[in-house]
């Protein structure tokens, strides 16, 4: 049975997860956001990875599953865990 990626992860939870792979986008990247997001979507589709967007949460920053455009910090992560279902909606 496939598991779902968590809807939200704290930075500590995100960093302590033993991802099969993880790739970050947006850090120190001066390109327009739409170009970064396009690259994120293409990489996620190519690798079958799950997109997480770092956003400002109610009390602290969190990683939210999928592409987010409100309260985002500009960091995106593509991750993969075997046995988990991707939902990049």
């Amino acid at each position: 049975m496939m598991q779902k990626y968590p809807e939200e992860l704290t930075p500590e939870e995100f960093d302590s997860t033993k991802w099969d792979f993880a790739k970050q986008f947006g850090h120190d990247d001066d390109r327009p956001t739409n170009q970064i997001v396009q690259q994120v979507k293409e990489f996620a589709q190519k690798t079958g990875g799950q997109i997480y967007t770092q956003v400002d949460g109610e009390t602290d920053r969190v990683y939210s599953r999928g592409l987010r455009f409100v309260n985002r910090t500009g960091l995106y992560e593509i991750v993969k865990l075997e046995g988990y279902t991707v939902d990049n909606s």
Side-chain angles (χ1 to χ4, degrees):
M1 179 169 189
M2 298 291 271
Q3 295 182 341
K4 290 185 177 183
Y5 285 91
E7 181 68 35
E8 202 171 86
L9 293 165
T10 66
E12 293 80 17
E13 291 169 328
F14 191 90
D15 291 342
S16 68
T17 300
K18 303 281 191 243
W19 305 111
D20 293 334
F21 79 79
K23 181 169 174 72
Q24 185 180 84
F25 293 85
H27 183 70
D28 290 335
D29 192 335
D30 294 334
R31 293 179 299 153
T33 301
N34 65 327
Q35 289 180 8
I36 296 168
V37 168
Q38 185 62 36
Q39 185 181 18
V40 166
K41 290 193 299 190
E42 288 171 0
F43 187 80
Q45 186 174 29
K46 181 175 111 179
T47 62
Q50 176 62 55
I51 299 170
Y52 275 94
T53 304
Q54 189 183 78
V55 297
D56 287 326
E58 289 188 27
T59 58
D60 204 356
R61 290 185 175 177
V62 295
Y63 286 92
S64 181
R65 186 180 69 210
L67 280 174
R68 303 290 177 250
F69 297 99
V70 177
N71 295 336
R72 62 178 164 58
T73 66
L75 287 181
Y76 302 92
E77 297 268 1
I78 309 294
V79 297
K80 182 127 179 159
L81 280 175
E82 200 63 42
Y84 280 71
T85 303
V86 172
D87 178 5
N88 285 321
S89 58

